[in-house]
Amino acid sequence: MPLTALPRPQWLTFDCYGTLIQWDEGLQAAIARILGRSAQSGPLPSPEQFLHVYDGHEHRLERTPPHQRFADITRESLHLTMRELGMAYRPEDADTLIGGISAMPPFPEVVDTLGALKQAGFRLCIISNTDDAIIAGNVSQMGGHIDRVITAEQAGAYKPSRQIFAHAHASLGVTPDQVVHICASPHLDHAAARDIGFRCVWIDRGTGRQCLPDYRPDATVSTLDQVIGLFRQAGWI
């Protein structure tokens, strides 16, 4: 449905990593540090090869019951990845990755844009596939503009499961048509928007991620600050 087909939303919900926080850049930097201190007889994999294997393990573990905390999934995914690639795993490697996630900074336009949206009267919530302790370091860099943070740890489920969004909407006291979700992750957030029916703005930052074949977001912009103009056109600001 078009953004203007329903009334002005009470809440704006956001994916965190890749939407507000520089996920790809921060993840690659953390992996580069791990690779830089790893020793093995053969050549090291490239960061891209490493991340491809790591992502496969992480996504599989997120879908495997019982629910595990993201920190535990990160440790196990890293361990399995390094074993598969013939690398020696050390616990401090996981500490590097988990600590690196918490320290990842926002994209340059994010803090000012969140402030403008808050000033315009929207309430702002993050819905993220992470743990409370991990995301706290990221939220602390967002200028105090975030009203609520809903995590997979709280919901007991990871996107694209309906459960995490149902938990978020119940916690906020809204129905899906009273929110607009803003995200950069088609395979997670778009799948939920398709299945649940909430309005969705895609931040396509040119990473090469593609829309799902059976879903199109209600609007697409390339950076978060362009949401301001989009909402002005809708008459919401």
Side-chain angles (χ1 to χ4, degrees):
M1 64 185 72
L3 285 177
T4 54
L6 292 170
R8 184 183 193 268
Q10 300 175 21
W11 283 85
L12 303 177
T13 58
F14 299 85
D15 173 49
C16 183
Y17 300 107
T19 302
L20 305 178
I21 293 294
Q22 298 182 51
W23 170 257
D24 290 337
E25 300 85 349
L27 193 59
Q28 289 168 6
I31 295 303
R33 288 195 293 273
I34 292 170
L35 292 174
R37 63 178 184 236
S38 296
Q40 63 182 59
S41 57
L44 288 170
S46 69
E48 293 75 19
Q49 292 170 323
F50 191 100
L51 286 172
H52 177 74
V53 176
Y54 174 84
D55 283 344
H57 288 299
E58 181 194 283
H59 294 152
R60 177 181 56 79
L61 290 172
E62 287 176 350
R63 296 190 301 267
T64 302
H67 179 81
Q68 299 181 68
R69 292 174 58 248
F70 185 72
D72 295 331
I73 286 178
T74 298
R75 292 182 185 280
E76 181 64 10
S77 299
L78 190 62
H79 190 187
L80 292 170
T81 297
M82 297 182 80
R83 185 175 69 184
E84 182 174 334
L85 295 173
M87 302 170 63
Y89 168 80
R90 298 171 299 174
E92 53 264 38
D93 293 325
D95 294 337
T96 294
L97 182 53
I98 294 168
I101 293 172
S102 292
M104 292 175 183
F107 288 99
E109 82 282 5
V110 162
V111 174
D112 287 346
T113 303
L114 293 176
L117 292 169
K118 189 76 174 292
Q119 189 173 19
F122 296 105
R123 302 192 72 186
L124 311 181
C125 174
I126 289 172
I127 305 175
S128 181
N129 272 3
T130 189
D131 298 340
D132 295 351
I134 292 176
I135 202 171
N138 309 114
V139 175
S140 70
Q141 303 177 65
M142 295 186 194
H145 301 309
I146 299 298
D147 296 296
R148 292 287 300 275
V149 178
I150 306 293
T151 64
E153 180 181 15
Q154 297 168 28
Y158 290 96
K159 303 174 190 174
S161 169
R162 285 173 176 258
Q163 183 174 330
I164 186 170
F165 285 96
H167 176 82
H169 296 155
S171 298
L172 300 178
V174 296
T175 58
D177 62 356
Q178 292 173 318
V179 304
V180 167
H181 187 61
I182 300 170
C183 67
S185 54
H187 68 292
L188 296 177
D189 297 71
H190 286 183
R194 176 197 62 200
D195 296 342
I196 298 171
F198 54 76
R199 291 171 287 176
C200 187
V201 176
W202 183 27
I203 310 296
D204 180 5
R205 293 188 178 274
T207 61
R209 294 178 175 90
Q210 300 294 318
C211 277
L212 302 177
D214 58 349
Y215 175 79
R216 288 294 177 271
D218 299 291
T220 301
V221 294
S222 59
T223 54
L224 190 69
D225 51 342
Q226 294 176 17
V227 167
I228 301 294
L230 189 68
F231 286 6
R232 284 200 180 103
Q233 292 175 9
W236 295 347
I237 295 178

